[in-house]
Amino acid sequence: VLQSLFRFPDLSRADLARLTELTPATISQLVGELIDEGLVEAAGRGPAKVGKPPTPLRLVSDSRHLVCVDLSDTDAFRAAVVDMAGKVVHRESVDRGDATGEHAVELVGGLIQATLAATTKPVLGIGLGTPGVVDAAGTVVEAVYLDWFDVPLRQLMARRFDLPVHVCNDANTAVLAEYSFGEETGTNLMVIKVGPGIGAGLLVDGRPHLGENFSAGEIGHIIVDEDGPPCRCGKRGCLESFIAVPELRSALAHAADPQQVRAEAGQSLGVVLAAAVSILDIHEIVLAGPSDLLDEAFREAALETIRARTLASLSRSDAVRIRHSTLGDDIVLLGAGVLVLSQELGVA
Ligand SMILES: [Zn+2]
């Protein structure tokens, strides 16, 4: 019932019964409970042709607050108080400096404490999007640039704040944000998160796809050019060595033709995406990252490369779509909110 109201506002009890295939009596009881909890409200009477008009119902989106944390930025950890409709009501951030390891964990704890202090409604939970590989228990298995290895982030924060805590890889939270709060999407979607590293978040048949070792979408070290620039992993020509933010900025700073550098970066992404599109049959790709780097030249070069390297039916002009996210810098933050919503209320 909540999921229906999250997706479609102003449904009547009869609409809900139809959508959920529950009996009208069950719907009435459930709606009554949700109204008592303050999660749902009647939104005034709708028009009626005959008899008693139906009462449109809607989610009270500011009845609960979500504490959302984005650890994907290189310079600062960012957090926000967000309502259930994805509206940011308060922001906090803390400079990371070069904090890593336990020091970085301490910064995250302090940031959450400050953000919680700004909530004015019951807090549904705390969501964190972090770089690196995160397992089902919310342990950061590996986040190299934070020097985190097997850090039980969810457990540490849940113990400290006595609230539900959910932790996910930043690209995976980004795909949740795009699905719930972005432009209208289908149920198959790939978000390419370009930051200090490159990650892809995957939504396959309407479900987040995390993979056997929670490493699905770790595309940064796929080699696209064996003679390419050296990568910090020790190999040459990895995708990251072309399009990770520090590498791309540095290449642009030394380039005679910046447009050419952006186009080559887009091509390198296209090479990787051609394989992903063909394997998964996902045709909607969303770019999330600095807009000055992921510009039109970058996007077009990626799209052209996919078309040139895939089956003709995939390369039709309308078959594959690459677009920029409309959620801007908040994509990981909002995704951390959807993570809480989906785990605590079953809505997304
Ligand atoms: Zn590499």
Side-chain angles (χ1 to χ4, degrees):
V1 169
L2 278 173
Q3 173 66 39
S4 300
L5 290 169
F6 183 76
R7 281 275 155 187
F8 314 104
D10 295 337
L11 296 176
S12 68
R13 287 171 177 78
D15 295 330
L16 283 169
R18 223 171 8 251
L19 277 169
T20 59
E21 298 179 4
L22 296 169
T23 65
T26 305
I27 289 293
S28 280
Q29 190 197 335
L30 290 174
V31 166
E33 287 171 16
L34 292 170
I35 289 176
D36 288 345
E37 290 187 51
L39 280 165
V40 169
E41 68 184 357
R45 294 262 176 212
K49 292 190 184 87
V50 183
K52 195 173 145 204
T55 309
L57 299 165
R58 61 174 67 142
L59 204 64
V60 186
S61 54
D62 64 352
S63 65
R64 301 289 190 279
H65 277 161
L66 315 167
V67 168
C68 305
V69 183
D70 172 7
L71 307 180
S72 69
D73 201 330
T74 35
D75 305 324
F77 290 154
R78 306 194 304 129
V81 179
V82 175
D83 77 9
M84 293 194 291
K87 185 179 154 208
V88 173
V89 291
H90 179 84
R91 291 182 189 272
E92 291 282 338
S93 70
V94 60
D95 283 342
R96 185 175 74 87
D98 46 17
T100 55
E102 275 182 37
H103 184 196
V105 173
E106 263 311 300
L107 285 181
V108 174
L111 179 63
I112 292 174
Q113 187 146 22
T115 312
L116 272 170
T119 58
T120 54
K121 299 287 165 64
V123 176
L124 204 54
I126 301 166
L128 296 102
T130 173
V133 175
V134 183
D135 72 12
T139 292
V140 181
V141 178
E142 179 181 355
V144 177
Y145 97 98
L146 291 173
D147 197 24
W148 284 353
F149 297 93
D150 292 321
V151 173
L153 195 58
R154 172 177 171 165
Q155 196 188 355
L156 289 169
M157 296 304 143
R159 209 177 279 161
R160 175 160 172 185
F161 297 107
D162 199 22
L163 279 166
V165 176
H166 302 284
V167 184
C168 203
N169 166 273
D170 54 357
N172 292 322
T173 63
V175 81
L176 293 176
E178 197 59 44
Y179 179 65
S180 293
F181 298 130
E183 266 179 52
E184 182 117 14
T185 61
T187 52
N188 289 285
L189 177 68
M190 180 160 35
V191 174
I192 308 297
K193 174 86 177 62
V194 177
I198 309 299
L202 296 166
L203 190 78
V204 179
D205 295 336
R207 304 181 67 86
H209 180 78
L210 301 178
E212 185 77 24
N213 299 300
F214 312 100
S215 302
E218 290 290 323
I219 58 174
H221 297 280
I222 296 177
I223 292 173
V224 293
D225 178 1
E226 283 166 346
D227 302 319
C231 178
R232 66 193 120 158
C233 73
K235 294 183 282 193
R236 294 189 83 87
C238 297
L239 181 61
E240 277 194 16
S241 67
F242 290 97
I243 72 167
V245 169
E247 280 76 4
L248 187 48
R249 281 210 198 286
S250 145
L252 285 167
H254 300 105
D257 183 356
Q259 210 58 359
Q260 179 66 21
V261 171
R262 286 195 187 85
E264 280 174 9
Q267 281 164 14
S268 64
L269 179 62
V271 169
V272 172
L273 291 186
V277 161
S278 304
I279 291 167
L280 294 169
D281 194 17
I282 291 180
H283 291 176
E284 184 167 17
I285 297 158
V286 179
L287 301 175
S291 53
D292 61 314
L293 298 180
L294 312 181
D295 65 352
E296 250 331 89
F298 177 94
R299 191 191 71 85
E300 270 173 24
L303 189 56
E304 282 311 309
T305 306
I306 294 173
R307 286 187 182 147
R309 286 174 172 245
T310 51
L311 198 67
S313 63
L314 284 179
S315 60
R316 278 196 339 262
S317 63
D318 59 338
V320 179
R321 186 172 171 226
I322 303 185
R323 62 178 172 85
H324 295 97
S325 174
T326 52
L327 300 173
D329 292 340
D330 283 341
I331 190 166
V332 174
L333 268 184
L334 294 176
V338 179
L339 187 62
V340 174
L341 282 173
S342 62
Q343 298 294 318
E344 296 300 316
L345 291 184
V347 306

